[in-house]
Amino acid sequence: KASQVPILVNIRNAFPHTRRSSAAISYTDEHLFVGLSTESPKAPIADATERDGKVWFDDAFEVFLLPGETPTPHFFQFIVNSRGTLLDTRGRKIVWNGPGIRVFPKVDKHRWWAVLKIPFADLETAPPKPGDVWRANFCRNWHRPRPAHPIYTTWSYGGPSYLSRPDRFGRI
């Protein structure tokens, strides 16, 4: 069974966003699974089609993972859109790619989902044991036509600079 958390705090003002998104996480001996789900009253924008492209400009999810409890700048970041286009970084370096990571997207009339299947080998760590603590954050990028800025919602509020604050990631 997966643990589920809401992704609804607007990072610009700390108020809940009106649309709902959530993340769920589970694992096996070999893989970490992150399920992401969101309301989408219209077709999601998914212009990025190449790995490590500008996925953050699309309707997208971001997953930040830090195996272990100690905050370090060497966290993993995954951004995925409704096409399944993936941007993956380690320590904010786009040159890193997890070779075994798979994305399974699905879109219907009012929602879209994505499941990330991440091998622990790509994270260079063993699966967590009971009582282990990792740091993580889950974010939703809500595309808006320019010149408007996207709306960013998050599970663990870290302020407007959530990308660079692993000390503000939640504990899982």
Side-chain angles (χ1 to χ4, degrees):
K1 183 173 176 171
S3 298
Q4 188 171 358
V5 296
I7 306 172
L8 76 121
V9 180
N10 187 319
I11 69 163
R12 295 198 194 283
N13 60 24
F15 289 109
H17 190 50
T18 56
R19 294 194 192 128
R20 303 287 185 226
S21 294
S22 63
I25 193 163
S26 66
Y27 61 93
T28 65
D29 289 341
E30 296 193 12
H31 295 93
L32 181 72
F33 294 90
V34 181
L36 305 155
S37 174
T38 186
E39 294 177 358
S40 188
K42 57 185 178 180
I45 302 298
D47 293 332
T49 58
E50 294 182 20
R51 186 165 187 163
D52 294 336
K54 295 181 179 182
V55 183
W56 62 88
F57 285 129
D58 292 343
D59 282 304
F61 281 105
E62 299 191 40
V63 176
F64 299 87
L65 288 175
L66 186 57
E69 190 170 5
T70 306
T72 76
H74 303 291
F75 57 86
F76 296 91
Q77 179 182 8
F78 308 95
I79 308 176
V80 61
N81 67 17
S82 62
R83 288 180 187 257
T85 304
L86 174 68
L87 180 144
D88 49 349
T89 70
R90 181 171 189 187
R92 305 200 60 192
K93 294 184 183 237
I94 292 179
V95 296
W96 179 85
N97 282 321
I101 298 169
R102 300 293 175 261
V103 179
F104 305 95
K106 181 180 179 186
V107 179
D108 77 12
K109 228 160 73 167
H110 302 289
R111 297 193 77 71
W112 70 272
W113 302 264
V115 173
L116 279 79
K117 180 180 177 185
I118 306 167
F120 286 111
D122 287 2
L123 300 176
E124 299 174 4
T125 191
K129 297 180 189 100
D132 284 355
V133 175
W134 286 24
R135 289 192 175 255
N137 206 356
F138 309 100
C139 303
R140 170 71 162 89
N141 304 350
W142 302 85
H143 177 313
R144 295 192 308 168
R146 292 179 191 235
H149 293 286
I151 294 170
Y152 299 100
T153 57
T154 186
W155 165 56
S156 180
Y157 181 71
S161 62
Y162 73 95
L163 290 175
S164 58
R165 300 293 308 265
D167 61 311
R168 299 266 181 116
F169 293 175
R171 289 173 172 84
I172 56 171

